[in-house]
Structure formats: C-alpha cells, structure tokens
C-alpha cells in the first residue's frame, strides 16, 4: 500500500493587525460609545457620526473640494454654491447629487479616497493630546460612513506599504532635493510629474497639492523615487557654534565687555567711562 502524504499547507497572507487598544484608544472608545462629533489630533481631524468616520481632514492632504476641482468634476463656483446652500444644514453631499453636479457613485468614491488619505496622517504618531468635541456634525453630511476598525486597518496597511518601499520616513515631511544617483534609467509618467516639482523647497504635501493628487499616492511615488536614488531629503545647514568668550591675558584681569556687547548701558555710566579714559590719556 502506497502512503500518500498530505500536501504542504498553502502560505497564508498575514493581515495587518490592529493593536489591542487601536491606533487611538480615544477613537476606539468613541466608536464603542457611538459618539458624534470631531476628534482633533496633531495630524488633523476625524469627524464621527454614531461612532463611524464620516470625514477626515489634515493639513498634509488636499481636501475633497480640492480633488474634485483639480480633476474637473466641479468648478470653484459650484463648490461655493453648495457650501452656501447646504453647508449650514450639513447636506453639501446631498446637494451636489440632487443638483446633478456629481453622481452618487462618483461622490462616494472621491469621498472615500479623501477620507482614507487624510486619516493616514491624522492617525500618525503624535506627541500632543487628542481632544473630542461632542455633537458637531460635518458640513458634507452622510456620504459613506466607515467603521473605525476599517479606517485603522487601512492606515496600518498604508504604513506597511510605505515601509516596504523605502523604510526611512524622514522623506515624507522634509523639503526634497534631487539626489542625482538614480539606479534605474527611467521613471513612470506619474513619478516624472512628481520629480518635476522637486525644487529643494517643496515637501511631499506641497507637491500633492500642486498636482491635485491624494497625498498618500504622492508619498508612494516619492518613496519609490528615493529607493531608486532620484530624490532625498534636504539636509539642513549646520548651525555654527557660538564664538567662545575671549580668554583673559596671562596674569591679567578678564577683558571688560565693550560697549557693543552692552547696548543697554546707562548713558551716564558710559559718559563717565569716556571721561575717565580721556583723563588717563593726558
């Protein structure tokens, strides 16, 4: 009888695990409470409705309005009208759909892209305490609420992706310069557009706003360019050490500070010193 062994187990893809307390213990608690309001962290804000994330915003990312306008879905006048007509009621999204300016599916897709983009930065490491303001509804209104666990899982997935591309996060926030040491001959058109905006002063956030692209997508391109040797963070010029105090002469008294080093001297004292020096010179 021939013994047939069991086939080897197939590799199982390890999912991104969320820490026990979540990326933000306060956010996890608010989700359990089904709270409504805005969570303010160092990297931006998360807007909650009944414990789910309905919008996210961060200074590091273009907002939903910027993305829609940059891609020609809306113009600035359409957006201003929507804010004026439906902003106070918190129904800007519904107004845009009902007025025919955008279809529901396109709005949901753009909204989710902007939400996950900003949430990545809002849930980043922070050294400042978080605050929550209860009861504050967002002006966009309900579009596609997302569970907190889904937002945290996507944030961790994005962290893992960036780390796998290029493990140094310093390039995410620093002004970028061309490194001039490429290890590959060409770049993709998307990367070429990013590379064309690298000027020694712009950061990844600046470039994403200039291009009207989600900030995370820009980070992916920048880390790939860094891995290929095209860009690097600009190194700040070293701060010169302060000049040492003059050493006293051998056997003498320490040097007296000059008037230039003491701009706030009493004018009467200064005059007396000048008279003394003049008398000694006679």
């Amino acid at each position: 009888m021939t013994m047939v062994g069991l086939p080897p187990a197939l590799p199982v893809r390890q999912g991104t695990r969320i820490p026990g307390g979540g990326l933000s213990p306060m956010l996890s608690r608010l989700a359990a409470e089904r709270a409504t309001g805005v969570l303010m962290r160092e990297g931006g804000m998360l807007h909650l409705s009944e414990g789910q994330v309905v919008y996210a915003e961060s200074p590091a990312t273009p907002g939903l309005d910027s993305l829609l306008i940059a891609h020609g879905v809306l113009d600035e006048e359409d957006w201003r009208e929507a804010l004026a007509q439906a902003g106070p009621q918190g129904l800007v999204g519904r107004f845009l759909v009902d007025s025919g300016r955008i279809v529901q599916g396109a709005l949901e897709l753009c909204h989710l892209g902007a939400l996950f983009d900003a949430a990545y930065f809002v849930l980043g490491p922070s050294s400042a305490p978080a605050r929550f303001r209860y009861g504050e509804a967002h002006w966009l209104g309900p579009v596609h609420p997302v569970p907190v666990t889904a937002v945290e899982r996507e944030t961790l997935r994005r962290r893992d992706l960036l780390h796998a591309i290029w493990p140094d996060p310093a390039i995410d926030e620093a002004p970028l310069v061309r490194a001039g040491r490429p290890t590959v001959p060409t770049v993709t058109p998307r990367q070429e557009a990013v590379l064309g905006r690298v000027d020694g002063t712009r950061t990844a956030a600046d470039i994403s706003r200039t291009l009207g692209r989600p900030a995370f997508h820009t980070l992916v391109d920048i880390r790939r360019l860094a891995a290929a040797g095209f860009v690097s963070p600009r190194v700040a010029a070293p701060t010169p050490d302060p000049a040492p105090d003059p050493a006293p002469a051998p056997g003498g008294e320490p040097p007296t500070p000059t008037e230039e080093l003491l701009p706030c001297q009493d004018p009467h004292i200064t005059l007396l010193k000048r008279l003394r020096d003049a008398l000694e010179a006679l």
Side-chain angles (χ1 to χ4, degrees), residues 47-65:
H47 297 264
L48 305 182
S49 177
E50 297 185 355
Q52 293 188 309
V53 182
V54 294
Y55 196 73
E57 51 189 318
S58 169
T61 65
L64 176 62
D65 55 335

Side-chain angles (χ1 to χ4, degrees), residues 33-217:
E33 292 177 4
R34 298 178 60 85
T36 295
V38 55
L39 175 65
M40 293 167 283
R41 287 171 55 90
E42 189 174 17
M45 296 185 289
L46 292 180
H47 297 264
L48 305 182
S49 177
E50 297 185 355
Q52 293 188 309
V53 182
V54 294
Y55 196 73
E57 51 189 318
S58 169
T61 65
L64 176 62
D65 55 335
S66 299
L67 295 174
L68 291 174
I69 293 170
H71 292 279
V73 179
L74 298 175
D75 58 33
E76 294 185 6
E77 184 59 34
D78 289 335
W79 187 259
R80 283 195 294 266
E81 181 183 0
L83 286 179
Q85 295 290 333
Q89 296 80 30
L91 294 173
V92 170
R94 175 51 50 194
F95 177 86
L96 291 172
V97 173
D98 291 346
S99 62
R101 288 169 169 80
I102 188 172
V103 298
Q104 180 70 30
L107 177 62
E108 289 186 10
L109 185 63
C110 294
H111 163 258
L112 287 175
L115 187 154
F116 284 122
D117 194 41
Y120 170 80
F121 296 93
V122 177
L123 294 176
S126 173
S127 59
R131 295 179 294 127
F132 187 73
R133 194 158 55 227
Y134 281 92
E136 184 171 320
H138 193 260
W139 44 260
L140 184 64
V143 176
H144 191 110
V146 182
V148 164
T149 53
V151 174
E152 292 182 325
R153 188 177 297 110
E154 176 62 15
T155 297
L156 288 176
R157 186 193 70 82
R158 294 183 178 211
R159 286 186 192 176
D160 292 343
L161 174 61
L162 289 180
H163 183 80
I165 296 172
W166 183 250
D168 185 5
I171 203 165
D172 295 349
E173 299 180 1
L176 301 172
V177 295
R178 295 187 182 230
R181 299 186 301 274
T183 58
V184 295
T186 59
V187 296
T188 66
R190 283 185 57 88
Q191 293 169 352
E192 186 175 2
V194 171
L195 192 59
R197 270 73 178 179
V198 173
D199 60 359
T201 60
R202 289 192 178 109
T203 63
D206 297 330
I207 293 173
S208 69
R209 281 189 288 268
T210 301
L211 295 173
R213 294 179 182 174
F216 179 77
H217 295 178

Side-chain angles (χ1 to χ4, degrees), residues 272-282:
L272 290 174
K273 287 183 177 180
R274 288 178 177 172
L275 289 174
R276 180 199 62 189
D277 294 339
L279 291 173
E280 290 178 350
L282 293 177

